[in-house]
Amino acid sequence: MSWLFGYSSKPPQPPPSDDPPADGVGVAAPSTNLSKSERKAMEAYRFDSSALERAASAAKELERSRHAKDALELSKLQESTRQQEQMAKIKEYEAAIEQAKVEQKKVDYEERRKTLQEETKQHQMRAQYQDQLAKKRYEEQLVQQQKSQEEILRKQEESVAKQEALRRATIEHEMELREKNKLRAIEAEARAKAQADRENRDINLEQIRLKAAENRVTILESIKTAGSVVGSGLNALVTDWDKTLAAAGGLSLLALGVYSAKGATSVAARFIEARIGKPTLVNETSRFSLLEAVKHPILTVSKAVSSFRKPQDALAGVVLAPNLEKRLRDIAIATKNTRLNKGFYRNLLMYGPPGTGKTLFSKKLAKHSGMDYAIMTGGDVAPMGKDAVAAIHKVFDWANTSRKGVLVFIDEADAFLRKRSSEKISEDLRAALNAFLYRTSDQSSRIMLVLASNTPQQFDSAINDRLDKMIEFGLPALEERERLIRLYFDKFVLQPASEGKRRLSVDQFDYGALCSTLATRTAGMSGRALSKLGVAWQAAAYASDDGRLTEQMCIDICDDAVRDHRQKMEWLSAEEKSRSMMPYLLDLPPLDTKDDTSNKINVIEKDTNDDSTKIKPKSKAKVAKEFDKDK
């Protein structure tokens, strides 16, 4: 039995063969003549008894063996192991089934998620499409409403225009009748007065003679009385020494009182000027002053009322280039926030051609920031001589007493802030410049300094060091000129004509097209020149026979103004004897002349032989080329 459990290395003996013995004893051999199917059928019903015998003998041998129980236990263990393996396979199978269920649930969830996403996408697309349809319907409704409103507005404008024309005609007729009646009344009154004077001529002459005689008698009697009084007084004063001493003492006390009052008055005047009034150099200010309130009470009250209003936009009513407007708006916001947070103000330099809005923006910047402004001119400093230093100190002392802060605007600042190294300036002007540099050496939280100049290259280097930001105000371009012309045409022509209180009316023409045409003709003109153009239109309407302004009158006045402005600029370039204004002169439009001198500029050249200067005309292209080369 040892070979059965692997304890013996002897191979098992082969079982005895079932074949019959060779000698032919035993069962007869099957016939070899049977078919294959018959042979298989016979083998199926064949029983091998020797196998049972071998199994029985093996079982008996196993029972007799001492390892029978171990073999039985081992077989039981093997059976239990096979059962456990089978159970493990069953559990693995169940786990695989559960995992398959989980995977199937994940697949189902993913399919549902994709379905929901697709449904959501379809809902969004449907909502967007419906929103687009609603927007289109709303836009179409707005377009229809706008068309209907424009039609209603056009009809209203036509009706108003007709009513205005009727009203103007009625007013003009009434004015003509009143003028005629007034002239008739004046003529009748003059005739009656002349007739009365002719009739009463003798009486008037007699009255004049009587008055002259009475005046002569009165004057003679007055002279006699005054002479007698003065003579008696001098006689009494000479004869009586007590009266002489009293008169001398009285005159001495009177002189002492006069001189004392004069000194006290000068001291009080200086105090009032420093605290209550305004300094001599300040030409205009928004700060409250008691003296100005006494002189101009109505203007002071209007300023006080306007100060309680909401601060205006710093660029309201100012037409500038878009880039310049953006820079100035940033400066206005920074200045306002600096005042609110009690920070240090930045000093500015505004340079460019005259009449480009530097002073106007400075006033609006001060009002927008809630500060007071003080405007002074650099040309007022030089004539003061030795008193200029004291006047400059008074300005800064007066500005430091303000609680709101003061924006000190100095127009034409290059008049006394010139270069000390290259310019020949007087000692008084040099002292004034040094005093100004001393008062502006540090940043201030009460004073904001704004300088304006047409020639900034003339400033002293110390002045340039005190400037925090430089802004160039150039000439208005085509778009800005059109906006300015529209603004001044509405201010000086359309508004007075619509009020009806003045002798002014406007002919029927396209105002917008006229403003666009004039904007192309006024190249090189500043905002101040364009405002004067609006005043010229108003004056031309007042000077006409019927007080009516026509389109041709506007064009003629504009052409005259363009020619005058060009001539002024050419004179300025000859007098300046420099190229400081040359970049702005190159943008001027040509004059309408018959010769070829319209495209030339007078340039001053110095003769090296005799050190004399000559004025020679040069073309714009040549001057521009030379200017770029020098630059």
Side-chain angles (χ1 to χ4, degrees), residues 298-335:
I298 298 177
L299 182 61
T300 305
V301 171
S302 63
K303 287 182 180 180
V305 172
S306 63
S307 63
F308 290 102
R309 297 177 183 173
K310 187 178 180 180
Q312 300 180 357
D313 186 9
L315 296 177
V318 182
V319 178
L320 298 170
N323 295 332
L324 183 58
E325 286 186 0
K326 183 178 181 300
R327 293 186 63 190
L328 295 180
R329 196 175 298 279
D330 294 341
I331 291 173
I333 294 173
T335 305

Side-chain angles (χ1 to χ4, degrees), residues 269-280 282-304 307 372-374 398 401-402 404:
R270 286 196 298 270
F271 177 79
I272 291 173
E273 182 181 5
R275 300 295 178 182
I276 303 176
K278 67 176 183 178
T280 308
V282 176
N283 298 325
E284 181 183 354
T285 180
S286 62
R287 187 176 176 182
F288 176 77
S289 174
L290 184 59
L291 296 179
E292 292 294 327
V294 173
K295 293 180 181 178
H296 310 286
I298 298 177
L299 182 61
T300 305
V301 171
S302 63
K303 287 182 180 180
S307 63
D372 292 326
Y373 65 85
W398 170 79
T401 58
S402 175
K404 298 193 298 183

Side-chain angles (χ1 to χ4, degrees), residues 249-261:
L251 291 175
S252 300
L253 292 175
L254 180 61
L256 179 62
V258 169
Y259 285 112
S260 301

